Amino acid sequence: MRFKNLTITLTLMCLSIVALAGLVLLPITNGICDWTGGASSKSYSESQLDDDEQGWNLSASLNASASYASGSVSPSIHTAGVFTSETTYSGYANLRAWRSSGQKWDIVYCSYGNGCENYHNCPGHQQAVAFESAEDPESKVIYTTVDMVTVVHVWGEERHWITKKGTGVKAETTVGIDEFSSVTVGGETYTWEENGVKYYAYRSESRTNPDSGPSDGASAQVKNYPSANCGAEVTFNFEHPIGGQGDISTTNSVSYTGVPLQGSN
């Protein structure tokens, strides 16, 4: 019986080790990775990272209501500071927002042509008027980038305006290369100003740091009225941060059913 219990214990230990090993081999990921919400409003959020925690965030939303229908997809860099080189992630998005035709209540002012006898002094009255269907499609490449930006870290000191010697008041800052060049032109031109104090550089150091670069998502929207049906739909994909992995793809839609006007023909 002791050997049997030992066998069971060893088996469970081996299974635990295998499970842990499997988790280690999986790519790092973090996020909802699925759609949440109901029939007329849904959202999506996902993060995909590689073993160095380099990767992206991707968010999307779909809404359909009595006032509008819309959809959007937005990519962004997860944490720019962990990147060691310029990087671009991209994908493709197809969005569509639409509205059916129908009638809405609106304020109408009489005119001679619509048979109103009192058109000269018409104060306006509510009347059912027609509106047309509408559609806003959007198909485009979406992307997010990391740029390697060179900046200058500057150590500066306040100078006495007569002797031009340091006063002992020191500070440091980081500026862009163009900014540093422009403010130091002319020899004694001060490097930067902080809280009314002008500081002159006595040492500087160039540094190249990763920073979030341009990103571009996609969106579509139409105005709606309570009596009209409307909806929004999206299909998009985005590249995986780990080479050789398939694109992240998903599709979804939402809709709103309008309430017909009462008393209109």
Side-chain angles (χ1 to χ4, degrees):
M1 189 65 181
R2 285 182 299 168
F3 293 111
K4 184 176 180 181
N5 291 338
L6 179 61
T7 303
I8 293 172
T9 302
L10 290 173
T11 302
L12 290 173
M13 289 175 63
C14 291
L15 288 173
S16 299
I17 293 171
V18 170
L20 287 171
L23 288 174
V24 171
L25 292 174
L26 286 173
I28 300 172
T29 183
N30 176 34
I32 298 174
C33 303
D34 202 357
W35 288 90
T36 60
S40 60
S41 179
K42 293 179 181 177
S43 61
Y44 176 95
S45 179
E46 182 171 358
S47 298
Q48 284 287 343
L49 312 178
D50 63 14
D51 293 335
D52 298 319
E53 297 190 357
Q54 296 181 159
W56 46 256
N57 297 320
L58 196 61
S59 60
S61 65
L62 293 169
N63 291 281
S65 68
S67 56
Y68 70 95
S70 68
S72 66
V73 181
S74 300
S76 62
I77 294 300
H78 182 269
T79 304
V82 303
F83 285 81
T84 56
S85 62
E86 292 189 347
T87 305
T88 298
Y89 298 115
S90 64
Y92 199 83
N94 283 295
L95 280 157
R96 175 176 172 262
W98 59 271
R99 179 194 72 216
S100 66
S101 60
Q103 288 187 317
K104 64 174 181 175
W105 292 113
D106 205 352
I107 299 298
V108 176
Y109 294 91
C110 289
S111 66
Y112 177 78
N114 65 10
C116 180
E117 295 180 358
N118 193 30
Y119 65 90
H120 287 296
N121 300 307
C122 177
H125 58 276
Q126 197 174 57
Q127 182 175 313
V129 297
F131 59 83
E132 296 180 347
S133 61
E135 182 179 28
D136 182 19
E138 175 82 296
S139 297
K140 63 184 295 188
V141 172
I142 56 176
Y143 63 88
T144 185
T145 63
V146 174
D147 292 338
M148 301 304 290
V149 180
T150 302
V151 296
V152 182
H153 193 81
V154 189
W155 289 263
E157 185 175 30
E158 185 184 18
R159 293 183 182 178
H160 192 281
W161 71 276
I162 297 177
T163 64
K164 294 297 181 70
K165 292 182 179 181
T167 64
V169 179
K170 298 181 179 180
E172 56 186 271
T173 189
T174 301
V175 297
I177 288 181
D178 293 340
E179 182 184 358
F180 181 69
S181 300
S182 64
V183 296
T184 56
V185 167
E188 294 299 324
T189 303
Y190 68 93
T191 305
W192 82 95
E193 186 172 340
E194 186 176 330
N195 296 326
V197 177
K198 295 181 179 180
Y199 292 95
Y200 295 78
Y202 61 85
R203 185 161 69 93
S204 63
E205 176 184 290
S206 294
R207 300 175 180 178
T208 300
N209 300 324
D211 197 8
S212 294
S215 294
D216 195 14
S219 63
Q221 180 170 336
V222 295
K223 184 178 180 179
N224 192 35
Y225 304 101
S227 60
N229 301 330
C230 72
E233 54 199 43
V234 64
T235 297
F236 62 88
N237 61 72
F238 211 71
E239 70 179 275
H240 203 288
I242 299 178
Q245 297 285 334
D247 291 347
I248 308 300
S249 300
T250 186
T251 183
N252 221 317
S253 63
V254 294
S255 63
Y256 163 83
T257 301
V259 180
L261 293 185
Q262 300 296 319
S264 63
N265 297 322

